[in-house]
Structures are given as C-alpha cells and as structure tokens.
C-alpha cells in the first residue's frame, strides 16, 4: 500500500504543525521522549489494573485483551468540528425519519428512491415493527457514525452504526487517562470535555420513556453477559450512569411490564438500553434458541409498556447494502444536500458495477453487506493473487452480498513509535444521543488507529489501537 | 439491588475467604509434615478432608504427598476450591457485580487476580511456598481492607459480610471435624507430645494459636480448643462469632428492606441454640454429631439466604 506518505497528515503540513496542533506541538517539542515512553507504559498498567479489556472471539487463550492506547492525541479544531456536528445531526435526523417511514407508509419506496427489494429481502427489516411508533418517534437513541478523512476539508462517512454501537467507554477512559498523565496539557489547551456523556445518556434515555411513565423513569442496560466482547463497556456505562446492568435471566414479564429481579422482588423497567442484537431480544418473537433475551418483551414493547433503545429493526438503516442510498435518503427527508459525503460505493448487485469491481479488484476494498468488525472484507492492494481470485469467485457467486469502495488514502496522525513520531492511519467514531428533547453529538469520539505502518485496518479485533480525541474550544 | 448482584457479592466474598482458608490448611500440612515425617501422608490426607476435596484429589493422584497436595490446593484448575480457582471465581463474580463495588474494591480484586495468576503460573518450589502463601493472604486482606475502607454500609456490604461468615463458619467446622477424634476424651492422654502437636495444629489452621494463649492461658486442652473455636465470641473464626455476625447482617437487611424472611427465623434459632451450648453439652451429645449437624445447618442457611434474596431465577 505505502499510502502513508501521500495521505493527509493531521499534525504536520509541509513545514509546521497544523493549526489545531500548534499548542500541543510546542509542548511536545519540549518533552523528553523517554519520559513520554514511561508515561505510555504507565497507561498500559493503568488500563490493565482497571480491567479495561475486551474479549476476543475465537481465541481460547488471552480471552481478555487490552486495546493498545497511544498517547498522542488526535486534535480537531472548533471549525472542523462544527461542520462534522451539523453533518451528523442531519444524517441522524434522516435515519430516524427513514426508519419511521419504512415501518409505516414507506413513502420512500413508493417514490422509487430506494429499491423495494433492498427492504423486502433484508433480514435487518423486522416486519414485527410495522406500525409501531416508539415514544417521540425516536428509533436510534444512540448512534456511532464512522468518519474517515482524506484531506483538509474532506470528512466522509464510512459507515453508520445504528444498532448497538460500541466504543464509548474508550472515548471516556482515554480522556481520563490523558487527564491523569498530562494534567498540564489540559491547563493550557482548551479541550471540550466528554465526561458528561454517561449522565447525558441517562437523561436522554429517561426523556425517551413511554408516555404513561410518571416519576423518574427506571433505566437498565441489558448485556449478553460477562463473556461478551464489550462486557467491560456495559458494566462501565451502568456504573457511570448509576443504573442496573441486567441479563435476560434477570428479567421477566410481571403484570404487563418488563421487570427485573431484585433482592426485594420484581421492579418494572421503563427504558431498556439493550446491548444485545435484535435476534436475541425476544425468543418468542425472534430466535427461539436465544438464552439472552426476555420472552414476551416484544409484546410489551408494541403495547407501549417499555422503551427499547435502540428500537428493534434499526439495522435496516445501517445495512451496508443501504449505505449507498444514504445521500438520497437524506435528501428525501430533509430536503437538503448531505453535509458529510459518502465514500463512493459500487453495488455489486448491479451488473455494470460488478463488472467494474471484478476488473479493478486489486485497487478496491470489498465488504460483505452484513459483516462487521473488519471480518470478511478484502483489501485489494494488500491481498495476494490467491486471495484475489478466491474473493472474485465469492463475488460472482453472490454479488448482492457485497459492496466495493476505492482504497481511501485515510488521513494520518502520528503515534509514539520506537523511533519517535510515526504517521498512522486513523478513523473517527463520534457518538450521538437522540431523544425527543433533541440530538446531542458528544464533542470527541473514538479515534481508532492502525498501529502497523501503512495498514488501513483500524479495528480493535484486528490489532488496531485507540487515541484520545480532542475537540478544541472556539 | 438485583438479586443476581447480591448473589455475585455473596459468592465473591465466600471465594476470597476460601482462598485464604486454603493457604492456612497448606501451612498446617507443611508444619505437620516437617515435625512428623512418619505420618505425613495421613496429615496431608486430613488436610484434603478439611478442604473437602479428598475424593477429587484421589481421582487424579495415586500418592498423597506434599508435592501433589500443595499443587492441587494451590493451582489445580480442576479443583474448584484451589486458591487459583477461588481467586478466579472471586474475580469473575466481581466483574459481574462491578457496578456494586467501589473502584478500590474492584482494583484490589483485579490486582490480586493479576498477581496470583503470575505467581501461580508454575508449580511452587517448597522453599518459595511460605512467601507465596503470604502473598495470597495479603492480597485477600487488601480486598477486605478496601471493602471496609470504602464501601457504604448498605445492603451490598451486608451481603459481602454474610458470604464471608457463612464460608468461614463452614471452614472452622470442617477443620474441627477432621480433627475431632484428637479432641475426644477417650483419646485424651493429657500431656502426650502427640496430642499437644495435634492440638496446636488445629489452632494454627485458624491462625489462633497465639490468641488462644491470650484468652485461655498456656494449657492447651481439647475442651479449651472446642470452647475457643465453637463458642468464644472474641475469636473471629469461632462458629458463635460468625453466627452473631450473620445475625447482625441479616438483621440489617430485614430492617432495611422491611421484610422478614425464613432465613431470619433460621439464624435466630441457630444462634440461640449455639449460644445456649456449653463445652460440656457439646461433648456429651458428641462433638462429631454436633459438627456434622452444624455443617448441614450452615449450608441450609446459605441456601435459604440465596432463595430469600432471589440470587437465582
């Protein structure tokens, strides 16, 4: 690939520190590298001691791993952020309008802006949700929008995460770690805080409670359990939000409400922030083998007895097959042009596109429509001849399972490597809370960084790391 | 709080207590094997009995020797009561109930686990054993210290204490029961060196040989030991002490929740019975019978608490 050199470097332009990095750069230039390295080791000890780990699927040993943390922050100026924020708000508004439409009148299908088969044949579309209107018509209470940057003003949306986006605990703990290690930096640079996220989330979930709910709504987080890869995050959020962390076997239906088993008996829940997939939510409605969910919860939900966040069936909006229609979706519901652009995308279901993709496989990134976490994707420039021909065969067999995108020259931010600063590719996942009271984009997010030189894969499950993300005050 | 969380806290502290008790048993075994090499095998066997893992051990080992027993009690992952398994289980429960713990308690537990995983990664050479046993006890003491120093005195704290004392009472009863025959009047040849060593061993296995002298004087006798470990309310590992604590902790929950459960009746009755006993009445009706009954009651009390406070579905 060797794209690192030609990529947009967020810290340095030809000669100097780029504007958002000026204060940090001046501080860094006066620092002793060996002290910084010692700090980096301290950070690792801190993460391990605190138990900030994630579980890796498919590995027996080392089932709890640390996500490597790099101490050089990723810095975004107030001006850059203002545009990102507006773009995300617009997108999230459109996603919620789309979800409401697609489960009610389906105007967008009637208008022919999105092909019917993309919805009808899509497993992420839940017929059980047809005609259901969640409180305030909010479907996606928590959204993570994955952005990549390719130039000074070019932030593109790589992916929407409208089901159960994860990573917010790293956004929060990365900042805590930086505050702990480098308090002096925050004294002379005005960085917008992110620490209000958990209480903000509790407030926005409470604001999304069913209408009949009076008094302070009871919020709980539903986790698949201690072996889930994001268990740390589930318990961290429950702790920070001051709400209970429940599993399916803690819940049952009591007097037409979803209730949790406490030491004093069953207590009804008003808002369930679920971190289990749709399929596992209710064995009576969805996967009958699921041990994770609550039998009957969907009936209560449809009757308006509980708010489920995010709503079941939101996966239809972040499905990769639908991704390429997002600009049309935004235009349809907001009447505006998208502020944040999509990455150009070839739909392999279309014959012309498939032919192009097969011809240019070596230059493209090909993704499975339903895959996530960097599994099952092909990065053309990095693939061997064998891998390319194997993938071409898969593509021809099931073209509609795939989309393709150009290999983007992702922007870089330096990491502290063995020989000092070294540029590495990054992406950014800001987190958004949505409630009837409004849309709030937390100023910051999770910056994921590919630690290997030249690598474009930032996923933590594939060896990527994270950075603290600073949004500067005006 | 969630029933599951109460159960997690309760078991977390049972396992922390268990890990510490196992190290004391190993200490005793080592001491006996050093001072009485000819009966070392029997001593190790009774250590396995006291830990309640004899049959499990015999299934995988043909010899009952120091090397095998120590490794089984310290590190064996198939032995669910080994120190490492107990710490694993304690930490697993702590992860499960992390929202109920202060950061200090969680970190003490996690550090305990990280350190012991490293320390116990390979078999422990005999000369390193005393140090390693010390590390285990110190780590579990740090978890307890964090609990006492940082946790609110609420239902969570009370469930932690109930787990600790149910486990401890069980442990003391087991140790006494394994050695009850050396305390029986028929085997009582006062002053014989054999019995003195055996009696001292019982005290050591509850870290009580020094405090015994403070409270019962220099002469070690079966009646004195039974009194000390069963009825003495100053001795923090005695059955009566543990039950007084459980009575208090359950009493707190009863008041706090304003619900009285079957476990409240049980603990009232058991504590009253226990405190009405004398050493004479215990020896009269039979020490072994008394201890067997106690172990049964104790485990029934534990199950009743699990049920009353909805630990499980």
């Amino acid at each position: 690939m060797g794209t690192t050199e030609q990529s947009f470097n967020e810290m340095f332009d030809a000669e100097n520190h780029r504007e958002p990095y000026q204060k940090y750069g001046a501080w860094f230039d006066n620092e002793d590298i060996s002290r910084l390295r010692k700090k980096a080791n301290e950070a690792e000890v801190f993460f391990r001691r605190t138990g900030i780990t994630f579980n890796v699927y498919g590995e027996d040993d080392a089932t709890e791993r640390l996500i490597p943390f790099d101490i050089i922050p990723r810095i975004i100026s107030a001006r850059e952020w203002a545009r990102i924020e507006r773009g995300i708000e617009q997108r999230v508004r459109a996603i919620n309008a789309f979800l409401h439409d697609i489960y009610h009148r389906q105007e967008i299908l009637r208008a022919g802006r999105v092909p019917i088969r993309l919805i009808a044949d899509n497993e992420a579309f839940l017929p059980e949700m047809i005609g259901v209107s969640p409180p305030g018509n909010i479907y996606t209470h928590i959204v993570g929008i994955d952005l990549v940057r390719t130039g000074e003003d070019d932030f593109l949306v790589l992916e929407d995460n409208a089901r159960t986006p994860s990573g917010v605990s790293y956004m929060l703990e990365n900042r805590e770690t930086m505050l702990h290690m480098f308090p002096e930096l925050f004294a002379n640079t005005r960085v917008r805080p992110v620490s209000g996220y958990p209480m903000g989330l509790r407030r926005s979930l409470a604001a999304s409670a069913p209408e009949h709910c009076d008094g302070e709504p009871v919020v709980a987080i539903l986790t698949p359990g201690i072996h889930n890869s994001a268990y740390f995050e589930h318990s961290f959020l429950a702790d920070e939000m001051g709400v209970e962390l429940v599993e399916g076997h803690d819940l049952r239906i009591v007097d037409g409400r979803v209730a949790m088993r406490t030491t004093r008996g069953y207590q009804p829940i008003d808002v369930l922030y679920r971190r289990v997939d749709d399929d596992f939510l209710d064995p009576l409605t969805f996967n009958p083998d699921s041990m994770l969910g609550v039998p009957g919860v969907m009936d209560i939900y449809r009757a308006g007895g509980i708010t489920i966040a995010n709503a079941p069936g939101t996966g239809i909006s972040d499905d990769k097959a639908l991704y390429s229609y997002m600009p049309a979706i935004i235009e349809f519901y907001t009447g505006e042009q998208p502020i944040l652009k999509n990455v150009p995308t070839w739909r392999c279901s279309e014959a012309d596109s498939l032919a192009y993709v097969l011809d240019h496989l070596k230059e493209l990134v090909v993704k499975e429509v339903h895959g996530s976490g960097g599994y099952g994707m092909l990065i053309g420039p990095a693939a061997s001849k064998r891998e390319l021909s194997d993938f071409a065969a898969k593509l021809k067999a099931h073209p509609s399972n795939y989309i393709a995108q150009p290999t983007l020259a992702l922007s870089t931010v330096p990491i502290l490597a063995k020989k000092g600063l070294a540029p590495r590719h990054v992406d950014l996942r800001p987190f958004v809370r949505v409630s009837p009271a409004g849309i709030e984009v937390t100023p910051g997010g999770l910056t994921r960084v590919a630690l290997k030189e030249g690598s474009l894969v930032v996923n933590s499950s594939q060896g990527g790391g994270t950075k603290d993300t600073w949004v500067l005050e005006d | 709080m969630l029933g599951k969380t109460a159960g997690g806290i309760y078991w977390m502290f049972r396992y922390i207590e268990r890990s510490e008790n196992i190290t004391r048993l190993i200490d005793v075994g080592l001491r006996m094997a050093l001072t009485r090499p000819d009966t070392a095998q029997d001593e190790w066997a009774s250590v396995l009995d006291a830990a309640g893992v004899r049959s499990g051990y015999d299934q995988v080992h043909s010899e009952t020797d120091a090397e095998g027993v120590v490794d089984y009690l310290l590190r064996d992952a198939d032995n669910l009561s080994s120190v490492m398994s107990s710490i694993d289980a304690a930490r697993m429960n702590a992860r499960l109930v992390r929202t109920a713990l202060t950061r200090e308690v969680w970190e003490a537990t996690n550090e305990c686990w990280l350190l012991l995983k490293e320390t116990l990664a390979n078999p422990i050479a005999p000369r390193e054993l005393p140090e390693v046993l010390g590390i285990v006890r110190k780590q579990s003491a740090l978890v307890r210290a964090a609990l006492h120093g940082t946790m609110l005195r609420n239902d969570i704290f009370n469930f932690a204490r109930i787990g600790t004392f149910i486990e401890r009472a069980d442990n003391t009863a087991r140790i006494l029961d394994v050695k009850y025959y050396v305390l029986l009047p028929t085997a009582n040849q006062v002053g014989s060196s054999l019995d003195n060593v055996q009696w001292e061993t019982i005290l050591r296995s509850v870290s009580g040989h020094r405090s015994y002298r403070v409270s019962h004087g220099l002469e070690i006798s079966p009646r004195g030991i039974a009194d000390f470990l069963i009825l003495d309310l100053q001795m923090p590992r005695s059955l009566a002490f543990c039950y007084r604590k459980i009575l208090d902790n359950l009493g707190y929950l009863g008041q706090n929740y304003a619900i009285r459960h079957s476990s409240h009746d049980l603990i009232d009755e058991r504590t009253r019975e226990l405190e009405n006993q004398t050493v004479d009445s215990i020896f009269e009706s039979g020490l072994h019978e008394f201890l067997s009954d106690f172990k049964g009651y104790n485990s029934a009390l534990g199950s009743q608490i699990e049920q009353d406070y909805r630990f499980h579905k």
Side-chain angles (χ1 to χ4, degrees), chain A residues 61-230:
Chain A
D61 205 22
T63 44
E64 285 174 38
R65 279 210 330 227
L66 290 185
I67 297 185
F69 171 70
D70 179 71
I71 63 167
I72 312 290
R74 199 262 186 95
I75 307 177
I76 297 169
S77 72
R79 185 187 58 80
E80 289 167 340
W81 183 255
R83 199 169 136 259
I84 292 175
E85 193 175 28
R86 278 192 300 121
I88 288 178
E89 277 175 19
Q90 178 195 49
R91 202 164 172 104
V92 168
R93 249 185 298 127
I95 287 174
N96 278 283
F98 169 73
L99 284 164
H100 186 262
D101 183 31
I102 215 72
Y103 288 119
H104 292 81
R105 293 179 50 80
Q106 305 195 325
E107 305 278 2
I108 197 165
L109 302 185
R110 294 171 203 219
R113 304 293 288 272
V114 170
I116 292 175
R117 64 171 172 79
L118 271 192
I119 307 297
D121 301 343
N122 200 318
E123 283 180 9
F125 178 76
L126 296 186
E128 293 83 354
M129 285 297 291
I130 293 173
V132 178
S133 296
N137 284 329
I138 307 297
Y139 287 78
T140 64
H141 306 80
I142 301 107
V143 192
I145 305 280
D146 287 354
L147 301 176
V148 294
R149 185 177 198 177
T150 53
E152 184 70 51
D153 288 316
D154 306 307
F155 285 92
L156 306 173
V157 177
L158 186 64
E159 200 172 293
D160 303 291
N161 296 278
R163 303 176 200 210
T164 54
S166 63
V168 78
S169 57
Y170 292 94
M171 170 183 87
L172 296 166
E173 286 288 11
N174 287 353
R175 175 63 55 80
E176 282 306 306
T177 306
M178 289 294 281
L179 280 165
H180 184 70
M181 289 193 299
F182 306 111
E184 74 275 18
L185 264 176
F186 292 88
N188 64 26
T189 314
R190 295 207 297 158
V191 181
R192 293 181 64 185
V194 293
S195 60
Y197 179 86
M199 283 322 281
L201 180 56
R202 181 167 166 178
R203 266 196 301 278
S204 72
L205 288 173
S208 308
E211 278 152 25
H212 65 74
C213 169
D214 37 53
E216 174 72 23
V218 176
V219 178
I221 300 179
L222 175 63
T223 173
I226 199 162
H227 299 294
N228 182 266
S229 66

Side-chain angles (χ1 to χ4, degrees), chain B residues 48 53-64 68 72 76 78-79:
Chain B
L48 290 170
V53 296
R54 171 91 166 261
S55 63
Y57 180 88
D58 287 344
Q59 275 171 26
V60 282
H61 291 89
S62 51
E63 298 236 348
T64 311
Y72 190 71
D76 203 313
D78 293 332
N79 172 9

Side-chain angles (χ1 to χ4, degrees), chain A residues 91 117-118 122 124 146 157-163 314-327 329 342-349 365-378 399-405 429 448 459:
Chain A
R91 202 164 172 104
R117 64 171 172 79
L118 271 192
N122 200 318
D146 287 354
V157 177
L158 186 64
E159 200 172 293
D160 303 291
N161 296 278
R163 303 176 200 210
T314 55
I316 192 67
S317 67
D318 71 7
D319 189 82
K320 288 197 184 75
L322 242 95
Y323 166 83
S324 61
Y325 293 91
M326 273 309 290
I329 289 172
N342 261 22
V343 176
T345 301
W346 288 273
R347 304 165 184 146
C348 299
S349 55
V365 175
V366 189
K367 296 175 175 175
E368 251 182 87
V369 171
H370 304 296
S372 69
Y375 296 102
M377 69 192 265
L378 174 87
S400 59
N401 278 2
Y402 298 94
I403 55 167
Q405 294 170 336
R429 176 180 292 180
R448 299 186 299 178
N459 302 62

Side-chain angles (χ1 to χ4, degrees), chain A residues 408-422:
Chain A
L408 297 173
L410 300 192
S411 63
T412 66
V413 177
I415 62 167
L416 187 64
K418 283 205 179 82
K419 291 177 186 161
L421 293 185

Side-chain angles (χ1 to χ4, degrees), chain B residues 91-111:
Chain B
R91 191 231 183 209
M92 184 69 114
N93 277 290
R95 276 189 83 201
L96 196 68
V97 302
R98 190 162 162 174
T99 53
L101 302 172
T102 56
R103 191 158 188 141
E104 283 85 351
V105 174
W106 159 252
E107 286 187 6
T109 312
N110 195 39
E111 280 183 63

Side-chain angles (χ1 to χ4, degrees), chain A residues 49-50 64 231 250 263, chain B residues 1 4 95 110-111 257:
Chain A
R49 202 181 64 205
T50 318
E64 285 174 38
Y231 179 78
D250 296 315
T263 50
Chain B
M1 72 191 291
K4 174 189 67 188
R95 276 189 83 201
N110 195 39
E111 280 183 63
Y257 291 176

Side-chain angles (χ1 to χ4, degrees), chain A residues 19 48 136 203 291 304 323 386 451:
Chain A
E19 194 268 324
R48 199 171 284 285
R203 266 196 301 278
M291 306 292 285
Y323 166 83
R386 178 71 189 274
L451 295 175

